[in-house]
Amino acid sequence: MHKPSHRLFRIGETPTSRIEAFSDGVFAIIITLLVLEIHVPQVQGKDVSAALADSLLAMGPKFLTYILSFVIVCIWWVAHHQLFHILKRSDRGLLWLNSLFLLWLAFIPFPTALMGDFPGERIAVMGYGTITTLAGASFTFMRYYAFYLAKLVDESIDRSLLRSAMLKSSLNPVLHSIALLLAFVDTRLSIALYIILPMTFFIPSKLETEIHRKRTGL
Amino acid sequence: MHKPSHRLFRIGETPTSRIEAFSDGVFAIIITLLVLEIHVPQVQGKDVSAALADSLLAMGPKFLTYILSFVIVCIWWVAHHQLFHILKRSDRGLLWLNSLFLLWLAFIPFPTALMGDFPGERIAVMGYGTITTLAGASFTFMRYYAFYLAKLVDESIDRSLLRSAMLKSSLNPVLHSIALLLAFVDTRLSIALYIILPMTFFIPSKLETEIHRKRTGL
Amino acid sequence: MHKPSHRLFRIGETPTSRIEAFSDGVFAIIITLLVLEIHVPQVQGKDVSAALADSLLAMGPKFLTYILSFVIVCIWWVAHHQLFHILKRSDRGLLWLNSLFLLWLAFIPFPTALMGDFPGERIAVMGYGTITTLAGASFTFMRYYAFYLAKLVDESIDRSLLRSAMLKSSLNPVLHSIALLLAFVDTRLSIALYIILPMTFFIPSKLETEIHRKRTGL
Amino acid sequence: MHKPSHRLFRIGETPTSRIEAFSDGVFAIIITLLVLEIHVPQVQGKDVSAALADSLLAMGPKFLTYILSFVIVCIWWVAHHQLFHILKRSDRGLLWLNSLFLLWLAFIPFPTALMGDFPGERIAVMGYGTITTLAGASFTFMRYYAFYLAKLVDESIDRSLLRSAMLKSSLNPVLHSIALLLAFVDTRLSIALYIILPMTFFIPSKLETEIHRKRTGL
């Protein structure tokens, strides 16, 4: 019954390549747009050199939040690809959940600039964590939908690996929401956690190491 | 008579992939640029915390119009793909009609920022609806051109499905122009309709459901 | 002697697809960035509605230059594709001539905003024409390089078609430089010509029509 | 032992095409965003024409740094492709080193605008050189990692060519750091070197010429 005429209304038939290419474009644009929120300081007066140096020094938090957001978006890019790599097809639900995830991610330049301008303000620090939590939660739900609700995963994938990936994904928004709540104690605690959390991504998981050991025999 | 030397002047011979890739790039850039119209508030004075909180709260309409435009552009992206999915080739006319459609779509960050800054002003609310109406009308005309004027559609597609898609497309600019005209009564009516209209996109059409039922036998 | 080890230093061996994809990205970004130069007016005072309407009306030239530049970049996109469509390979020279062309094109948002803000100023109107002339001249030289200097063209292409395309390309920067020089008489003459010139692109050339007639037998 | 289920955790298995497409997007966006840092001058008063001409003339350094950064990013684009062209696969390490390289490159619009606004200030001139040095050093390390640490290079490539490419890459950040240090003597020396260094890229290396001579027999 799969007649070509049905394709008009069946976006779900398409492979994942289209969503991936679109998302890749969005990721690339976000990391490149981040710098636009850093404005050249406008200094005047007698000693321009000293004033410029002072202004640039005062912009330290802006440079650091730029790097932080850059790293976070790059990590999402890798995680996004790892997810779509094991999907055998996409459907309309996945398309919209992916759009929801991109909605939060594309918003990141704003809280980045806000926290860069007001690094000591609780509302700015919590705003940043809110967006990373929402992005993380959307991603976790997209993974859950793909793995268990719509069953879009390649059947050859080991179920235990899916469970472990699911767990790791779920942990991310939980930790980010803890980080943002710590701002009620001290905003510096939140910022410290925002910086530490992405770093954990670079530690290869035990499972990953195990798999790699098995395969390569090392 | 299809000698390669003719290709120089026959852009119409190319498949649709090139227009699609170009349009995808434009869609991805638009949804990511939207955030650049949201500027970090500049607060000063004694109580920075309270002033910042007030400023962010006052920016509520800006955040909402951001989400609205994000969703609308994503819906256009899906509709655009669904249209090009059933075309078997492109020609110069389609190329220019597509450019006309992208002209209005790429303009959307401006009315988005305008309505976000002046949510109660009739001219701002009507400006937003004017652009969505023009985008919708251009899309409808592009569809009409592809379906009936240039006959670019895959012949295997059922004619009745084309008619129903054509009707759905035509309705969109009509409803958006009604929404914008409602601003003469009350701008809140217009905004309400701007929000409701995209939502109807998520309701699968009866026809769509029927087709799906037939094919899957459920 | 074409050993793979030579590829390191032979970018010229690659097909044209890479330059095309890169250029397509730049084209898509330019047309989407143009809107960022149109800022929401900042109005205050008693009658916000009237002030906003006045501001938007005064922005008319900005909207028109936006459309003009959008159309011009779209035309360049089509011309660029038509050129690369008949090339059988690229080399380092083409790569750099293409970059030179993109240098002028990527600059277009600035003269667009300048002429939009100062539509009556000679320097602004001439600045716009200078950039379109430089872009046109770069493109013509790139075509000349590809056709006659580096001989990158598919051999099956009829020589007379190349000559006619070359002539058409050469005319473009000449006409744009005439348009910019007319600003010494009256800036409105320049602007009128800026608008008329892209329109001529939509008139199918006699040759084109002839070829099409022959092939289709109509 | 290469079961599909392992793919979930093995991003290193993927070919280089994904990183290349992503990087290409970032390159294209950077060169197009550069223009956004050039703002239309805001002039008022009696003689708008003269004031505008003066303002544009005063923007000379901004236009020149725009061209400089445009050329530098284009050169990086070519160098990036030449590197990835001889890699037979990518791994997680390469992915992150590439992201580090893009971090500095995506930042370039800021020092470009800074040096354009303050061409005589030592801190602005040194800031520009710092970013180009860091980008160069990241690229050199990425090359070193790909060539010798992770051995991602196509085995058929002549080792001596790798060594010579490695040497050329290492020289770049050294020369850029010398250029930035010269700002302690005179900022004009630094700027002169920033302009001369990219030009050396256009001189075909002796080795390159030799290889080309051998292959073509000319």
Side-chain angles (χ1 to χ4, degrees), chain D:
Chain D
M1 297 283 283
H2 280 262
K3 287 193 298 184
S5 56
H6 291 162
R7 285 189 304 166
L8 176 58
F9 304 98
R10 283 288 299 173
I11 193 161
E13 301 274 304
T14 52
T16 59
S17 60
R18 229 187 64 208
I19 305 190
E20 284 184 271
F22 184 70
S23 307
D24 270 16
V26 174
F27 283 113
I29 302 160
I30 296 170
I31 62 165
T32 325
L33 284 188
L34 284 170
V35 77
L36 289 184
E37 301 284 0
I38 304 180
H39 302 290
V40 172
Q42 293 189 301
V43 297
Q44 279 167 323
K46 267 190 248 166
D47 194 352
V48 170
S49 300
L52 187 61
D54 287 350
S55 299
L56 288 174
L57 212 67
M59 285 169 74
K62 277 199 92 76
F63 298 137
L64 292 179
T65 50
Y66 166 78
I67 294 176
L68 178 61
S69 290
F70 192 100
V71 171
I72 285 177
V73 177
C74 282
I75 288 175
W76 278 123
W77 178 62
V78 174
H80 191 271
H81 267 287
Q82 287 185 319
L83 171 57
F84 276 77
H85 200 220
I86 57 164
L87 301 187
K88 63 178 195 292
R89 60 183 181 86
S90 77
D91 71 359
R92 200 180 255 255
L94 187 75
L95 191 71
W96 289 113
L97 288 174
N98 188 58
S99 297
L100 184 67
F101 168 66
L102 292 179
L103 171 71
W104 304 121
L105 214 64
F107 193 67
I108 256 185
F110 177 73
T112 300
L114 189 70
M115 194 165 77
D117 279 347
F118 302 100
E121 290 299 321
R122 190 178 292 157
I123 200 168
V125 172
M126 291 183 78
Y128 192 86
T130 304
I131 294 301
T132 55
T133 302
L134 285 168
S138 303
F139 189 81
T140 305
F141 185 55
M142 177 161 67
R143 194 188 274 279
Y144 185 76
Y145 175 84
F147 281 9
Y148 303 111
L149 295 184
K151 298 189 193 309
L152 306 172
V153 168
D154 201 321
E155 276 89 4
S156 66
I157 308 285
D158 190 337
R159 293 291 112 178
S160 71
L161 291 183
L162 296 190
R163 256 198 312 277
S164 117
M166 196 65 230
L167 188 76
K168 217 175 154 187
S169 257
S170 311
L171 225 71
N172 180 289
V174 172
L175 291 171
H176 272 274
S177 59
I178 290 173
L180 89 90
L181 290 172
L182 278 174
F184 283 116
V185 184
D186 193 327
T187 52
R188 283 165 297 184
L189 280 176
S190 298
I191 294 173
L193 210 50
Y194 293 161
I195 294 168
I196 292 165
L197 285 177
M199 284 177 183
T200 62
F201 187 87
F202 294 89
I203 306 163
S205 71
K206 221 176 161 177
L207 197 74
E208 221 171 316
T209 318
E210 173 69 4
I211 289 162
H212 192 253
R213 198 189 56 76
K214 269 191 188 160
R215 191 173 49 214
T216 58
L218 294 169

Side-chain angles (χ1 to χ4, degrees), chain A:
Chain A
M1 295 285 283
H2 279 263
K3 286 193 301 186
S5 55
H6 292 162
R7 285 188 305 166
L8 178 57
F9 304 99
R10 283 288 299 173
I11 194 160
E13 300 274 305
T14 52
T16 59
S17 60
R18 229 186 65 209
I19 305 188
E20 285 184 89
F22 184 69
S23 307
D24 270 16
V26 175
F27 283 114
I29 301 159
I30 296 170
I31 63 166
T32 324
L33 283 188
L34 284 170
V35 77
L36 289 184
E37 300 285 359
I38 304 180
H39 302 289
V40 173
Q42 293 189 301
V43 297
Q44 279 167 325
K46 267 192 246 166
D47 195 352
V48 171
S49 300
L52 187 60
D54 286 351
S55 300
L56 289 174
L57 212 66
M59 285 169 75
K62 275 199 93 76
F63 298 137
L64 292 180
T65 49
Y66 167 78
I67 294 176
L68 178 62
S69 290
F70 193 100
V71 171
I72 285 177
V73 177
C74 282
I75 287 175
W76 279 123
W77 179 63
V78 173
H80 190 270
H81 267 286
Q82 286 186 320
L83 170 57
F84 276 78
H85 200 220
I86 57 164
L87 302 187
K88 62 179 196 292
R89 60 183 180 88
S90 77
D91 70 359
R92 200 179 253 255
L94 188 74
L95 192 70
W96 289 112
L97 288 174
N98 188 57
S99 296
L100 183 67
F101 168 66
L102 292 180
L103 171 71
W104 305 121
L105 214 64
F107 193 67
I108 256 184
F110 177 72
T112 301
L114 189 71
M115 193 166 78
D117 279 346
F118 302 99
E121 289 301 321
R122 189 178 292 157
I123 199 168
V125 172
M126 291 183 77
Y128 192 87
T130 304
I131 295 301
T132 55
T133 301
L134 286 168
S138 304
F139 190 81
T140 305
F141 185 56
M142 176 161 67
R143 194 189 275 278
Y144 184 76
Y145 175 83
F147 281 8
Y148 303 112
L149 296 184
K151 297 190 195 308
L152 306 171
V153 168
D154 200 322
E155 277 90 4
S156 65
I157 308 284
D158 190 339
R159 294 289 113 177
S160 71
L161 291 183
L162 296 191
R163 257 198 311 278
S164 117
M166 198 62 231
L167 188 76
K168 219 175 152 184
S169 257
S170 311
L171 225 72
N172 179 289
V174 172
L175 291 172
H176 271 274
S177 59
I178 290 173
L180 90 89
L181 290 172
L182 279 175
F184 284 116
V185 184
D186 193 329
T187 54
R188 282 166 298 184
L189 280 176
S190 298
I191 294 173
L193 210 49
Y194 292 161
I195 294 168
I196 292 165
L197 284 177
M199 284 178 183
T200 61
F201 187 86
F202 294 90
I203 306 165
S205 71
K206 220 177 163 177
L207 198 74
E208 221 172 316
T209 318
E210 173 69 3
I211 288 161
H212 192 252
R213 199 189 56 77
K214 268 192 189 155
R215 192 175 47 216
T216 58
L218 295 169

Side-chain angles (χ1 to χ4, degrees), chain C residues 144-213:
Chain C
Y144 184 76
Y145 175 84
F147 281 9
Y148 302 112
L149 296 184
K151 298 188 193 309
L152 304 172
V153 169
D154 201 320
E155 277 88 5
S156 65
I157 308 285
D158 190 337
R159 294 291 111 178
S160 71
L161 291 182
L162 296 190
R163 255 197 313 277
S164 116
M166 196 65 231
L167 188 76
K168 217 175 155 188
S169 258
S170 312
L171 226 71
N172 179 288
V174 172
L175 291 171
H176 272 275
S177 58
I178 291 171
L180 89 90
L181 290 172
L182 279 174
F184 284 116
V185 184
D186 193 329
T187 54
R188 282 165 298 184
L189 280 176
S190 299
I191 294 172
L193 210 50
Y194 293 160
I195 294 167
I196 292 164
L197 284 177
M199 285 177 182
T200 61
F201 187 86
F202 294 89
I203 306 164
S205 70
K206 220 176 163 177
L207 198 72
E208 223 172 315
T209 319
E210 174 69 3
I211 288 162
H212 192 253
R213 199 189 55 77

Side-chain angles (χ1 to χ4, degrees), chain B residues 1-11 13-14 18-19 21-22 25-26 29-30 33 36-37 39 62 92 95-96 99-100 102-111 113-114 117-118 121-124, chain C residues 24 27-29 31-33 35-36 38-41 43 48-49 52-53 56 59 63 66-67 70 74-75 77-78 81-82 85-86 143 154 156-158 161-162 164-165 201-202 207-208 211-212 214-215:
Chain B
M1 296 285 282
H2 280 262
K3 286 191 300 182
S5 55
H6 290 162
R7 285 188 305 166
L8 177 59
F9 304 99
R10 282 289 297 173
I11 193 159
E13 300 274 304
T14 53
R18 228 187 65 208
I19 305 188
F22 185 70
V26 175
I29 301 160
I30 296 169
L33 284 187
L36 291 184
E37 301 285 358
H39 302 290
K62 275 199 93 77
R92 200 179 255 255
L95 191 72
W96 289 113
S99 297
L100 184 67
L102 292 180
L103 171 71
W104 305 121
L105 214 65
F107 193 66
I108 255 185
F110 177 73
L114 190 71
D117 279 347
F118 302 99
E121 289 299 323
R122 188 178 295 156
I123 198 168
Chain C
D24 270 16
F27 283 114
I29 301 160
I31 62 166
T32 324
L33 284 187
V35 77
L36 290 184
I38 304 179
H39 302 290
V40 172
V43 296
V48 170
S49 299
L52 187 61
L56 288 174
M59 285 168 75
F63 298 136
Y66 166 79
I67 293 176
F70 192 101
C74 282
I75 287 175
W77 178 63
V78 173
H81 267 287
Q82 286 185 320
H85 200 220
I86 57 164
R143 194 188 274 278
D154 201 320
S156 65
I157 308 285
D158 190 337
L161 291 182
L162 296 190
S164 116
F201 187 86
F202 294 89
L207 198 72
E208 223 172 315
I211 288 162
H212 192 253
K214 269 193 189 158
R215 191 174 48 215

